Amino acid sequence: MATRISDLKPTTESASDTPEAPVRLAHADSFDALLATIADRPKRVSNRKQDRSKRTAQQIMNAALRVFARDGISRPKIADIAAEAGVPTSTLYDYYKSKEELASEVPLSYLAAFFSKYRDAVAGVTDARERILLYMSMSADFARENAEWARLFYLEIWPSVFVNDTEELRHSIDDFARVLVLLIRQGMDEGAWSAMRDPYETAAILIGGLNQVIITWILYRRPRNLTKAGTAIVERILNLLAEELRVEQSARNAPRRR
Amino acid sequence: MATRISDLKPTTESASDTPEAPVRLAHADSFDALLATIADRPKRVSNRKQDRSKRTAQQIMNAALRVFARDGISRPKIADIAAEAGVPTSTLYDYYKSKEELASEVPLSYLAAFFSKYRDAVAGVTDARERILLYMSMSADFARENAEWARLFYLEIWPSVFVNDTEELRHSIDDFARVLVLLIRQGMDEGAWSAMRDPYETAAILIGGLNQVIITWILYRRPRNLTKAGTAIVERILNLLAEELRVEQSARNAPRRR
DNA sequence: GGACAAGTCCGATAAAAACTCGGATTGCGT
DNA sequence: ACGCAATCCGAGTTTTTATCGGACTTGTCC
């Protein structure tokens, strides 16, 4: 008999790990803790029993990525994706209960890969500035390496109301910002930039600026070298922030300045 | 007999006004010219003959906005929108040939309203910095005033692959960035910030940062006062940029600084 | 290494949604 | 107030999504 996705009960929000609990330890420790939480979050890759099935699942995911990247999420029919994957439509329903679910599964698996990659790369780095620079350069580079995924993720998924419907994907995207805010707080403690500013506002400038560059690259393949341009804009912003601190300090020493 | 949207020929890209021609006059003049071009662009509001029909079209647009803002673009059925508008489904097809077209018409009409509003407000302002501040504060304020539209526009439409399919909407969104880049160039000429930086990069920081704030507000209604927060982040970035120029200048005067 | 149970695949078919048609009705100029 | 074009809308048709259940595979236990 068929094992349909829709037969499974909605996995009642694994209550064991605390998904929302705001990590509020010393920033140094909580950074590792946060990364660990995030890297483990999306673990249900495929609970299929047979190898054959895992291959099919992969085929479908790859096909979906290609099709979504080419035509967006709403236009392609389920049948198109099934055809691209080389399986009958009904088989696709054995794996994913709807197009929406399929469209959120793909980004999730890549996002998990990114976080785990960053976790490895950041291992020896302790400086907040360096950590941020690495984080964001790697984001840009990851988008360049996985251009089809990037197109799907940056243009269709993030930001989209649709995100609100997919608990798990929503968390993962929030995590992205959460890491950055944490690092900005760390930098405040270290005196790398002003501690008087709203860290969320600072995060908005960093994420917003970089995303804008990534999105422009996705749409127009300009600037040519995304990795370089991404690193450049982040460095520029970080320098601006460092300068902002310097000005604040000298203003405090010589109040009647200007 | 029915007059169906699908009967009309695809209006072959009015060749009269040059939509792509990059305006390259002195920045001062081209600003007015650009705004004029933009404000006139989306003029095919409704070529219906009867008043009754214009009312119906408005009803449908309003209903679509409410429904899209609530449930996104892909999930609602055409029938839902028709029901919300209080007309039979088939009538909706007399006005818009598909859900996609409907979903692009709504943002267009609002965007046109914004540009025209800005055009009036900026009339007396000549300073690049002030023009940008006004432009972006008004963007934030416009989003706050038209929260349903903003949800649709920022979360679903911009950026979306879907934009690429709708020539007209695509232009309007490009225009938004084009105005900003022009103003940044003007500011370079005026010595308000560094002329050595890529204006597109600078624009990315401004637009990206502000959009990030707007999107956060749409999703979480935080910060509470969007207008204030939007103005604040733009002012902060503009100050950062002014400081950047100062540092560059003093570095040139005393090269061995640091 | 064979048999049997669970797991996977897929053609046929039902259900839902998108879209069309053409006549009935209404608005508007004369 | 008449006539004709413009608009409206109920009743279909076509396209797309989703389900069902049996045929076929795979892994495993003896």
Side-chain angles (χ1 to χ4, degrees):
Chain A
M1 186 202 280
T3 304
R4 282 265 142 38
I5 294 295
S6 43
D7 297 342
L8 306 173
K9 294 190 191 72
T11 57
T12 45
E13 279 307 301
S14 60
S16 56
D17 58 357
T18 60
E20 289 294 18
V23 191
R24 278 286 182 283
L25 322 174
H27 301 150
D29 303 321
S30 59
F31 179 66
D32 294 335
L34 180 57
L35 278 186
T37 311
I38 292 171
D40 289 346
R41 219 200 286 282
K43 56 187 150 234
R44 53 144 170 133
V45 196
S46 167
N47 32 18
R48 294 265 161 170
K49 298 298 157 59
Q50 298 187 4
D51 282 354
R52 170 175 61 152
S53 179
K54 283 175 186 162
R55 261 179 283 121
T56 306
Q58 199 56 48
Q59 260 171 256
I60 293 176
M61 279 245 300
N62 292 344
L65 177 56
R66 281 196 301 278
V67 172
F68 285 148
R70 189 173 63 237
D71 297 332
I73 290 178
S74 49
R75 283 192 323 190
K77 298 164 264 180
I78 297 268
D80 294 340
I81 297 165
E84 176 92 17
V87 303
T89 304
S90 56
T91 293
L92 198 146
Y93 280 99
D94 286 333
Y95 287 82
Y96 302 96
K97 65 167 171 277
S98 70
K99 209 164 59 170
E100 281 200 3
E101 174 168 319
L102 187 50
S104 75
E105 205 68 18
V106 174
L108 257 181
S109 76
Y110 277 78
L111 220 45
F114 170 76
F115 280 125
S116 123
K117 202 171 174 181
Y118 174 66
R119 196 187 178 187
D120 293 346
V122 83
V125 183
T126 55
D127 192 46
R129 185 196 154 95
E130 292 308 315
R131 279 177 169 178
I132 289 179
L133 197 52
L134 187 61
Y135 191 53
M136 307 200 81
S137 304
M138 282 182 69
S139 300
D141 199 49
F142 194 77
R144 185 191 54 75
E145 276 180 331
N146 308 99
E148 287 188 327
W149 165 81
R151 189 173 183 90
L152 175 61
F153 182 68
Y154 285 97
L155 300 190
E156 301 272 343
I157 301 281
W158 178 25
S160 161
V161 174
F162 157 59
V163 170
N164 292 312
D165 307 329
T166 317
E167 202 71 20
E168 215 155 5
L169 183 53
R170 207 297 194 22
H171 280 317
S172 289
I173 291 180
D174 283 354
D175 286 338
F176 190 89
R178 198 169 300 141
V179 168
L180 187 60
V181 170
L182 187 78
L183 289 177
I184 287 170
R185 287 222 166 88
Q186 187 197 327
M188 287 177 167
D189 293 352
E190 294 177 4
W193 41 76
S194 169
M196 297 162 60
R197 302 291 176 161
D198 177 1
Y200 291 96
E201 191 184 90
T202 306
I205 296 175
L206 280 163
I207 294 190
L210 180 61
N211 279 9
Q212 202 67 22
V213 169
I214 292 175
I215 287 168
T216 306
W217 180 80
I218 291 170
L219 287 176
Y220 307 100
R221 282 295 184 277
R222 224 178 321 150
R224 287 291 166 73
N225 187 331
L226 176 58
T227 308
K228 210 170 81 182
T231 307
I233 196 173
V234 172
E235 274 183 330
R236 181 177 173 196
I237 295 173
L238 289 173
N239 288 343
L240 289 173
L241 292 175
E243 199 55 39
E244 182 182 44
L245 174 65
R246 231 183 44 76
V247 172
E248 276 178 19
Q249 286 172 339
S250 65
R252 213 170 309 135
N253 296 344
R256 191 47 52 98
R257 186 166 155 281
R258 184 201 155 79
Chain B
M1 185 202 285
T3 303
R4 282 266 141 40
I5 293 294
S6 43
D7 297 341
L8 305 173
K9 294 193 190 72
T11 57
T12 45
E13 280 307 301
S14 59
S16 57
D17 58 355
T18 60
E20 290 294 18
V23 192
R24 278 284 181 284
L25 323 175
H27 300 149
D29 303 320
S30 60
F31 178 68
D32 294 334
L34 180 57
L35 278 186
T37 311
I38 291 171
D40 289 345
R41 222 203 280 286
K43 56 188 151 234
R44 54 144 168 132
V45 196
S46 168
N47 31 19
R48 294 266 163 169
K49 298 297 158 58
Q50 297 188 3
D51 282 354
R52 168 175 62 153
S53 180
K54 283 175 186 159
R55 261 179 283 121
T56 306
Q58 200 56 48
Q59 261 172 258
I60 293 176
M61 279 247 297
N62 292 344
L65 178 56
R66 281 196 300 278
V67 172
F68 285 148
R70 189 172 63 237
D71 297 332
I73 290 177
S74 51
R75 283 193 324 194
K77 297 165 268 182
I78 296 269
D80 294 340
I81 297 165
E84 176 92 18
V87 304
T89 304
S90 55
T91 293
L92 197 147
Y93 280 98
D94 287 332
Y95 288 81
Y96 302 95
K97 66 164 170 278
S98 70
K99 208 164 58 171
E100 280 200 5
E101 174 168 320
L102 187 49
S104 76
E105 206 68 22
V106 175
L108 257 182
S109 76
Y110 277 78
L111 219 46
F114 169 75
F115 279 125
S116 123
K117 202 171 175 182
Y118 175 66
R119 195 187 179 186
D120 293 346
V122 84
V125 183
T126 55
D127 191 46
R129 186 197 153 95
E130 292 308 313
R131 279 177 170 178
I132 289 179
L133 196 52
L134 187 62
Y135 192 52
M136 307 201 79
S137 304
M138 281 181 69
S139 300
D141 199 50
F142 195 76
R144 183 192 55 74
E145 275 180 332
N146 307 99
E148 287 187 327
W149 165 81
R151 187 172 184 90
L152 175 61
F153 182 67
Y154 285 96
L155 299 191
E156 302 270 344
I157 301 281
W158 179 22
S160 162
V161 173
F162 157 59
V163 170
N164 293 312
D165 308 330
T166 317
E167 203 71 21
E168 215 155 5
L169 183 52
R170 203 308 194 11
H171 280 316
S172 290
I173 291 180
D174 282 354
D175 286 338
F176 190 89
R178 197 169 299 140
V179 168
L180 187 59
V181 170
L182 187 79
L183 289 177
I184 287 170
R185 287 221 166 88
Q186 187 196 329
M188 287 178 169
D189 293 351
E190 295 176 3
W193 41 77
S194 170
M196 297 161 60
R197 302 290 177 162
D198 177 2
Y200 290 96
E201 190 184 272
T202 306
I205 297 174
L206 281 164
I207 293 191
L210 180 62
N211 279 9
Q212 203 67 22
V213 169
I214 292 176
I215 287 168
T216 306
W217 179 81
I218 291 170
L219 287 175
Y220 307 101
R221 282 295 183 277
R222 225 178 322 151
R224 287 292 165 74
N225 187 331
L226 175 59
T227 308
K228 210 170 81 183
T231 307
I233 195 172
V234 172
E235 274 183 329
R236 183 177 172 197
I237 294 173
L238 289 174
N239 288 343
L240 290 173
L241 293 175
E243 199 55 39
E244 183 182 43
L245 173 65
R246 231 182 44 76
V247 172
E248 275 178 16
Q249 286 172 339
S250 66
R252 213 171 308 135
N253 296 344
R256 190 50 49 98
R257 187 165 155 282
R258 181 195 163 84

